[in-house]
Amino acid sequence: MSEKYYDSLSDMSRIKDSLKALFLDTADIVRLIMPDMEHCFDTPYIDGALSDKDFAVFIETYLTKVENQHIKEVGVDIMAVCRKDALSLSDEDKNYFNSIGVFGNRVDSAIQVINSTVLNQSALDMIKEKYSIGNMLLAKENPVKPYIPDKSFYGKCLSYTYQTFLRRKNHGRQVVL
């Protein structure tokens, strides 16, 4: 029987799957951006991803720094992207989102709802416990920035960070690196 492989960076990929699931369970995100799973991607490549779609969410993770031999900081970028000709909300959607305190075009509205979802403690408690990560917080520098992948699309990128322990499992036990 082969040894089960574990890497201390594995949470970076698994967080993307958990965020995708969280976004799909959030009715307002689905209403704005992604009526099905095909509108949420774990890589920020627009080529081929949006050929027949007007909007999407992309999620990317990266290691921002290693504090010491025990703690790492991970960055999470969440990009809401929309075809320029689909930026405007219908009057019905605009009225609905305004009534719940969300304003702006489709991308502006999407980043507000995504941010509220990501920063909602009860929604993230399961993810935090499952992967032993700290709170996900908006990045200290450039937490919201434009994301314009090509001339047909407009988007914004939300940047977050979280801290977690560098660790390694060996034969069923944890070994600190």
Side-chain angles (χ1 to χ4, degrees), residues 3-7 169:
E3 183 178 344
K4 188 173 183 180
Y5 186 76
Y6 178 83
D7 187 89
K169 291 184 180 176

Side-chain angles (χ1 to χ4, degrees), residues 10-143:
S10 68
D11 61 286
M12 292 171 54
S13 295
R14 296 171 10 174
I15 289 294
K16 293 194 261 185
D17 291 335
S18 294
L19 287 172
K20 284 170 56 174
L22 177 62
F23 296 162
L24 287 170
D25 286 341
T26 306
D28 290 333
I29 295 174
V30 171
R31 183 173 179 168
L32 280 166
I33 296 289
M34 44 187 219
D36 60 53
M37 185 66 150
E38 294 177 8
H39 289 258
C40 192
F41 302 93
D42 63 0
T43 55
Y45 297 113
I46 201 163
D47 288 343
L50 293 178
S51 58
D52 62 341
K53 299 168 184 70
D54 290 330
F55 351 97
V57 172
F58 298 103
I59 305 168
E60 184 59 281
T61 56
Y62 48 94
L63 191 60
T64 59
K65 65 182 167 179
V66 177
E67 297 282 336
N68 56 45
Q69 69 176 358
H70 303 290
I71 299 173
K72 69 180 180 197
E73 182 179 90
V74 175
V76 178
D77 283 350
I78 301 169
M79 292 139 281
V81 180
C82 180
R83 236 180 247 289
K84 286 183 179 178
D85 58 0
L87 271 170
S88 296
L89 294 172
S90 68
D91 288 340
E92 178 185 346
D93 280 346
K94 186 175 183 174
N95 290 335
Y96 168 75
F97 284 105
N98 283 276
S99 76
I100 62 170
V102 175
F103 303 94
N105 61 42
R106 185 174 307 281
V107 169
D108 290 336
S109 296
I111 65 164
Q112 292 168 60
V113 175
I114 289 169
N115 186 56
S116 293
T117 302
V118 168
L119 297 180
N120 179 324
Q121 283 307 117
S122 63
L124 275 183
D125 280 346
M126 181 193 74
I127 295 171
K128 287 170 46 180
E129 184 177 320
K130 186 174 183 179
Y131 302 116
S132 300
I133 67 170
N135 288 330
M136 198 172 293
L137 305 169
L138 279 170
K140 292 179 182 175
E141 293 184 28
N142 299 315

